[in-house]
Amino acid sequence: MRVALPTLEVLRSRFPKPGDVSPERLARAAALKAEFLRREPEPDPAVAPYWAKYQAVFSAEHLPTTQPQDLKDFANSNIGANPGNMSVFNDEWNQIGPEEGARRVREVVDYLLRGATPVDLEDRLTALITDSRRVGMKGFKESLLTKVLCIMYPDRYLTILKYTGEAGKREIARAIWGLELPDPERVDWTIGRLILWSNNLLLALLGDGFAHQQHAAAFLWWAKDQTG
C-alpha cells in the first residue's frame, strides 16, 4: 500500500510561524527594533542605481543580450547584498570562457525567474542548488540565486543570502526569536522551501518601519549580536 505524501500546503503549515514565538521573545525583539529605528539609516547611494540596472539586465527583454562582463560583475559585487567568496564561480568562468559562462548564467537566471517546470519557485530554486536539472552554472548557487530574487523583488526578499551559516536566516531566527528552524541536514524538506519560507517568516516577524530591505537586514544582524 502506497503512503500518501504530504502536500506542499501541509508541509508549509508545519514550518515555524510568528505565533510560535514566546511573548518574552516578542517583547525583547520589539524593544531592540525600537532602539534600532531611533537611528536614521544612511542609505548607500550606489544601491538604487545598481539594482535598477540589474532589474533591467535580468528582464526577459534584456537578459538574452546582456554582456558577459555584466554577469560576471554581478556575481562578484557586494552592492546591496554580499554573496561571499565567489572563487568557485570565477574558476569555472575562467575555465569555460566568458561566452559559455554568460550563456549558462543567462539560462540559470531565466529558469529561476520565469521557468514553468516545476511551477513553484521553491522547487526551481532547489533544482538549481542541487543540480537536479541540466540547467546550471558552477558556483552560481544559493547566495547568488537569492541575490537575484532580492534585486528583482526587493519588497519580498531580505538581503540575507544564506539559509544557514554564521549569520543565516536559521541562526537569526534562533538568536532573536528563539525559533528553531529545520536543519537542512536532518530533514527531508527541500533547500528551496527552507530558503523561501524562512525569508517569509522573518519578514512577518520584522513588521513595518524599515526604509528598505538592506535596513531590515542590518537590524537582523545587529539584533542577533545583542542577544548573545
Side-chain angles (χ1 to χ4, degrees), residues 50-55 57-58 63 66-84 86 89-90 93 105-106 108-109 112-113 139-152 161:
Y50 177 85
W51 283 34
K53 170 185 175 177
Y54 279 96
Q55 285 167 1
V57 163
F58 295 145
L63 183 60
T66 297
Q67 293 300 306
Q69 191 61 48
D70 282 334
L71 297 173
K72 186 180 183 185
D73 288 347
F74 168 79
N76 288 278
S77 172
N78 62 4
I79 296 176
N82 188 350
M86 288 294 109
F89 171 86
N90 289 324
W93 181 281
V105 171
R106 290 190 198 103
V108 165
V109 171
L112 175 69
L113 297 177
F140 204 101
K141 298 301 179 183
E142 180 182 355
S143 60
L144 287 176
L145 295 168
T146 305
K147 185 181 173 186
V148 170
L149 295 177
C150 289
I151 286 178
M152 296 305 289
L161 304 185

Side-chain angles (χ1 to χ4, degrees), residues 37 49-50 67 76 79 128 159 161 166 169 182 185 209 217 226:
L37 290 180
Y50 177 85
Q67 293 300 306
N76 288 278
I79 296 176
L128 291 169
T159 54
L161 304 185
E166 183 177 351
K169 300 179 183 77
E185 301 296 328
Q226 308 311 304

Side-chain angles (χ1 to χ4, degrees), residues 10-164:
V10 169
L11 287 174
R12 189 182 285 114
S13 72
R14 296 175 183 169
F15 197 79
K17 305 171 188 62
D20 297 329
V21 182
S22 71
E24 293 78 16
R25 287 280 193 165
L26 286 174
R28 172 61 174 156
L32 288 170
K33 178 179 173 179
E35 178 183 349
F36 184 84
L37 290 180
R38 282 195 287 270
R39 317 168 189 179
E40 286 295 325
E42 297 181 7
D44 182 346
V47 172
Y50 177 85
W51 283 34
K53 170 185 175 177
Y54 279 96
Q55 285 167 1
V57 163
F58 295 145
S59 68
E61 178 184 1
H62 296 295
L63 183 60
T65 57
T66 297
Q67 293 300 306
Q69 191 61 48
D70 282 334
L71 297 173
K72 186 180 183 185
D73 288 347
F74 168 79
N76 288 278
S77 172
N78 62 4
I79 296 176
N82 188 350
N85 188 322
M86 288 294 109
S87 59
V88 173
F89 171 86
N90 289 324
D91 288 347
E92 181 72 2
W93 181 281
N94 292 335
Q95 181 174 337
I96 63 180
E99 293 303 322
E100 176 61 13
R103 185 193 69 79
R104 294 187 190 181
V105 171
R106 290 190 198 103
E107 192 174 38
V108 165
V109 171
D110 192 58
Y111 176 73
L112 175 69
L113 297 177
R114 292 173 283 272
T117 307
V119 67
D120 292 312
L121 175 60
E122 295 98 322
D123 296 334
R124 296 199 303 278
L125 186 55
T126 296
L128 291 169
I129 292 172
T130 61
D131 295 319
S132 60
R133 299 181 74 88
R134 68 171 185 82
V135 178
M137 170 64 181
K138 192 173 182 180
F140 204 101
K141 298 301 179 183
E142 180 182 355
S143 60
L144 287 176
L145 295 168
T146 305
K147 185 181 173 186
V148 170
L149 295 177
C150 289
I151 286 178
M152 296 305 289
Y153 310 108
D155 295 331
R156 290 168 52 190
Y157 296 102
L158 289 162
T159 54
I160 298 172
L161 304 185
K162 298 289 284 186
Y163 172 68
T164 189

Side-chain angles (χ1 to χ4, degrees), residues 187-205:
V187 297
D188 293 332
W189 297 10
T190 65
I191 186 61
R193 293 173 183 176
L194 295 175
I195 290 168
L196 297 192
W197 295 354
S198 60
N199 173 84
N200 295 342
L201 172 65
L202 291 178
L203 282 177
L205 288 166

